[in-house]
Amino acid sequence: MLKAAILDDEIRGSKLLAQKLAVFESELHVVGVFNEPVPAAEAITGLGIDVLFLDVEMPVLNGFQFLERLGSFDFEVIFTTAYDSYTLEALRLSAVDYLLKPIDEEELQTAFTRLKKRVNEKASYKTVKAEKKSNNRLALPTAEGVYIVDKANIIRVEAMSNYSVFLLTEAKKIVVSKTLKEFEPVLNDPQFMRINRSVIVNLDFAVKYRKGDGGTLELSDGSEIEVSPQKKEALLAWLF
């Protein structure tokens, strides 16, 4: 059973959304409805929710400011708003969906389907991570399922907005809905290095370094990656 909370400064709007969510009562339970962002910020973190239906336009704190005030959170977010000018900001925050008021029941169903998929992917990742017996393997949750890859086969990992793209041997590519920063702790083996803001490389595949301000590193798959000046000294120390 998924647990949800609603934050909307309009009492009527929050009640209406709660009524529409009743259609999912066998799978989702609304455990909190809030109409003021400040009290909600103090209460929501203790509810253990899976998703927050969050209004964007609110007094004192708008929806994005509300999330910034929380600092960190592990629930999913579905934005609700009467305005359509916040889509890019919602995508930047990896929201499950962005619903325009008045909320269409079909669109709400689509959002709920996406929510279940996102929650299941997260659960699968945690399960596989807990059960894997070797630090030499890595679990990568995707829309299709969870891929288990050998770290030795990872050539590089590239940031793509809020996603990470794993480039593997034999030209395999896996897209994962997690940021590059989230993978740094699990790619803490000596051969992995983040050589610029957007790329972590497996230095076992390095074939050539070209001099420059930061320089350029060529990998065995033919890719050439710029090295940030801040990472140049550490990279050269590893290579030589």
Side-chain angles (χ1 to χ4, degrees), residues 158-201:
E158 298 182 350
M160 184 179 70
S161 185
N162 288 314
Y163 293 81
S164 295
V165 183
F166 281 73
L167 289 305
L168 310 176
T169 53
E170 299 180 3
K172 292 181 180 177
K173 184 184 297 185
I174 299 175
V175 180
V176 185
S177 58
K178 294 170 74 72
T179 64
L180 201 63
K181 184 177 181 180
E182 292 176 90
F183 281 110
E184 280 190 284
V186 293
L187 292 175
N188 59 356
D189 306 58
Q191 75 269 30
F192 287 102
M193 181 180 294
R194 189 168 184 168
I195 61 173
N196 62 41
R197 292 182 61 188
S198 304
V199 184
I200 295 175
V201 299

Side-chain angles (χ1 to χ4, degrees), residues 90-220:
L91 290 174
R92 186 182 69 80
L93 290 169
S94 293
V96 171
D97 214 329
Y98 181 91
L99 301 174
L100 286 175
K101 299 177 182 178
I103 296 173
D104 179 79
E105 293 181 2
E106 259 188 53
E107 292 181 356
L108 183 59
Q109 176 65 65
T110 299
F112 184 64
T113 300
R114 288 177 180 168
L115 170 65
K116 290 193 294 182
K117 184 177 179 181
R118 182 82 64 92
V119 170
N120 288 337
E121 285 177 0
K122 187 187 294 184
S124 296
Y125 177 76
K126 288 180 179 178
T127 300
V128 174
K129 186 177 179 182
E131 292 179 351
K132 70 176 183 175
K133 300 183 179 186
S134 171
N135 289 329
N136 295 322
R137 309 193 80 196
L138 187 62
L140 302 178
T142 72
E144 299 174 347
V146 180
Y147 287 85
I148 310 297
V149 302
D150 289 325
K151 289 183 180 179
N153 292 333
I154 300 171
I155 298 175
R156 67 187 189 279
V157 189
E158 298 182 350
M160 184 179 70
S161 185
N162 288 314
Y163 293 81
S164 295
V165 183
F166 281 73
L167 289 305
L168 310 176
T169 53
E170 299 180 3
K172 292 181 180 177
K173 184 184 297 185
I174 299 175
V175 180
V176 185
S177 58
K178 294 170 74 72
T179 64
L180 201 63
K181 184 177 181 180
E182 292 176 90
F183 281 110
E184 280 190 284
V186 293
L187 292 175
N188 59 356
D189 306 58
Q191 75 269 30
F192 287 102
M193 181 180 294
R194 189 168 184 168
I195 61 173
N196 62 41
R197 292 182 61 188
S198 304
V199 184
I200 295 175
V201 299
N202 184 342
L203 294 173
D204 287 343
F205 291 97
V207 296
K208 187 175 183 179
Y209 172 77
R210 293 185 177 84
K211 296 179 180 179
D213 186 16
T216 303
L217 185 67
E218 182 179 339
L219 301 180
S220 60

Side-chain angles (χ1 to χ4, degrees), residues 3-39:
K3 295 165 68 176
I6 298 170
L7 173 54
D8 189 325
D9 67 302
E10 296 181 357
I11 296 176
R12 182 176 177 277
S14 60
K15 286 183 177 179
L16 183 59
L17 177 55
Q19 290 171 1
K20 289 187 176 183
L21 289 174
V23 71
F24 309 117
E25 62 181 357
S26 63
E27 299 177 89
L28 180 139
H29 177 49
V30 178
V31 296
V33 178
F34 303 90
N35 302 115
E36 296 180 37
V38 174

